Amino acid sequence: MRKPDRRRFLTTTAAIAGLTSCSSKDQPPAAQASLGAHMRPYGEPSPYEQQPVRVIRELTASKGTGSSRTPLQDLYGTITPSPLHYERHHAGVPSIDPAQHQLLIHGMVDKPLTFTPAEIHRFPSFSRIYFLECGGNMVGDLAGNPPPTVQASHGLVSGTEWTGVPLATILREAGLQPEAKWIIAEGADHSRMARSIPIEKCLDDTLIAYGQNGEALRPEQGYPLRLLVPGWEGNVSVKWLRRLFVTDKPAMSVKETAYYSELRPDGKAEQFSFVMEARSVITKPSGGQSLQGPGFYEITGLSWTGTGKIAKVEVSTDGGKSWAEAKLQQPVLDKALVRFLYPWQWDGKDAVLQSRCTDETGYTQPTRDQLIATRGPHSGYHYNAIKSWYVRADGSVKHV
Ligand SMILES: Nc1nc2c(c(=O)[nH]1)N[C@H]1C(S)=C(S)[C@@H](COP(=O)(O)O)O[C@H]1N2
Ligand SMILES: [Mo]
């Protein structure tokens, strides 16, 4: 810690003094008696660590189709290790040889173009940290049967440093015609999943990504090329990108009509609700974990919003009766996961832990009742209500 926050340091040390498990000794542990292991070309985690894993839910009818969830409860900071990025595939993970792959741009452009991945790599590159989240994250909580762990309820979100080329650069190369209003992006997987994206977003911060946390994209994340549409529901970030069709109207594809549209209280479906609104969740302590008796605990979790930056996160330890502001780990980035931290002295009694965030537009994460009052009980995607964890006197943590 190079620049300790003095006030926080004092409160933390005072609280830690209550930790009964710290023993006092004045000897460091013994150093290794012999020379250590060899180096290895590609590193691996310590064998002493319990390896965090994704939880997979495949459709039995078609293996590879379904989703796997990020173990949010086991991770530190805000970057999801690539092997733990959540997955959502509509037709499994295709195996694509970049030497055989091409991206076609056609439609309302001056000159249709194809690019190999190697040609895309030659453009000026751009790296930025963004979250990616499936629009269907947390649907179990809306339905009223919340899953037992944060991985199961909120695990369709991950945070990554993406590297690629701004889509705007590639579109400029092809020359957009004035009537161009939408781009229909299509994947090379078996489902040839396609989504329509308004041209403004394509020219704003959308990336054609090929890098993930400093390495090439993982096959599951869309190798060799994917769209990354920051802050919008994950479905529009088309993986294994093979075609961009520039047009003056949306395609009205299956994934933007039958799916990924929300049912409103009046029975009409709302389409093209792209932005992921502000949300937060406590990842520790969370469902399935247990506390080892009264004393100091750091409550921590993640918050994010597709609208821009998170302005504040508040934490309640009494089921929403009172709230206090949590510390936000800096830097707070635009459309990225933000970690919040809150020191808590547990008195050993039943407690209900909640977090609630506010974004820079002033929008505050709603309660489940507020959400249902405005959107109705069947809205489906884009559920972002406040999440509660129930800490019982025996130290167990359950969903509420
Ligand atoms: N070609 C293609 N693109 C796709 C999908 C897909 O099945 N095929 N799934 C979409 C959905 S629903 C989501 S939430 C994100 C998931 O990206 P990830 O698997 O890298 O987390 O990719 C989107 N892009
Ligand atoms: Mo999704």
Side-chain angles (χ1 to χ4, degrees), residues 182 195-196 233 250 252 256 260-261 270-275:
W182 292 80
R195 282 297 300 259
S196 314
E233 59 183 18
M252 308 305 278
E256 58 204 22
Y260 299 102
S261 53
E270 178 165 324
Q271 278 181 287
F272 303 122
S273 45
F274 293 119
V275 178

Side-chain angles (χ1 to χ4, degrees), residues 11 17 30 59 99 114 143 246 250 358 370:
T11 49
L59 296 180
T114 56
V246 183
T358 301
Q370 288 166 342

Side-chain angles (χ1 to χ4, degrees), residues 145-273:
N145 55 336
T149 67
V150 70
Q151 176 167 21
S153 63
H154 287 64
L156 293 176
V157 65
S158 299
T160 298
E161 188 198 52
W162 303 99
T163 295
V165 178
L167 178 53
T169 306
I170 304 293
L171 293 176
R172 217 173 294 126
E173 203 67 14
L176 277 185
Q177 294 180 349
E179 319 81 84
K181 291 283 178 303
W182 292 80
I183 290 188
I184 301 162
E186 189 187 270
D189 49 333
H190 187 63
S191 70
R192 290 170 43 188
M193 208 205 74
R195 282 297 300 259
S196 314
I197 306 166
I199 198 76
E200 297 76 25
K201 185 67 173 174
C202 295
L203 293 172
D204 180 16
D205 53 6
T206 299
L207 281 180
I208 296 180
Y210 50 77
Q212 177 180 0
N213 295 332
E215 299 180 304
L217 282 181
R218 298 269 162 146
E220 304 93 294
Q221 265 65 63
Y223 181 85
L225 300 173
R226 84 172 301 162
L227 273 190
L228 199 283
V229 187
W232 286 21
E233 59 183 18
N235 190 256
V236 292
S237 286
V238 174
K239 300 189 279 190
W240 313 294
L241 188 65
R242 68 166 203 154
R243 181 170 29 170
L244 295 166
F245 180 69
V246 183
T247 169
D248 55 358
K249 51 186 171 304
M252 308 305 278
S253 74
V254 174
K255 294 290 188 247
E256 58 204 22
T257 51
Y259 300 92
Y260 299 102
S261 53
E262 288 88 62
L263 208 52
R264 295 295 161 186
D266 63 2
K268 288 195 180 136
E270 178 165 324
Q271 278 181 287
F272 303 122
S273 45

Side-chain angles (χ1 to χ4, degrees), residues 72-73 138 141 146-155 280-289 291 299-302 315-320 323 340 344 346 349-355 385-392 396-400:
L72 300 173
Q73 70 285 353
M138 288 107 83
D141 285 70
T149 67
V150 70
Q151 176 167 21
S153 63
H154 287 64
S280 70
V281 69
I282 293 170
T283 56
K284 200 174 154 193
S286 62
Q289 298 180 328
L291 304 186
I299 295 176
T300 182
L302 295 167
V315 167
S316 172
T317 57
D318 56 13
W323 295 90
F340 62 87
W344 182 42
W346 184 40
K349 300 202 185 93
D350 281 11
V352 175
L353 309 182
Q354 300 180 326
S355 67
I386 292 169
K387 175 78 177 172
S388 308
W389 299 115
Y390 181 22
V391 179
R392 291 218 287 235
S396 65
V397 187
K398 300 255 181 319
H399 62 85
V400 179

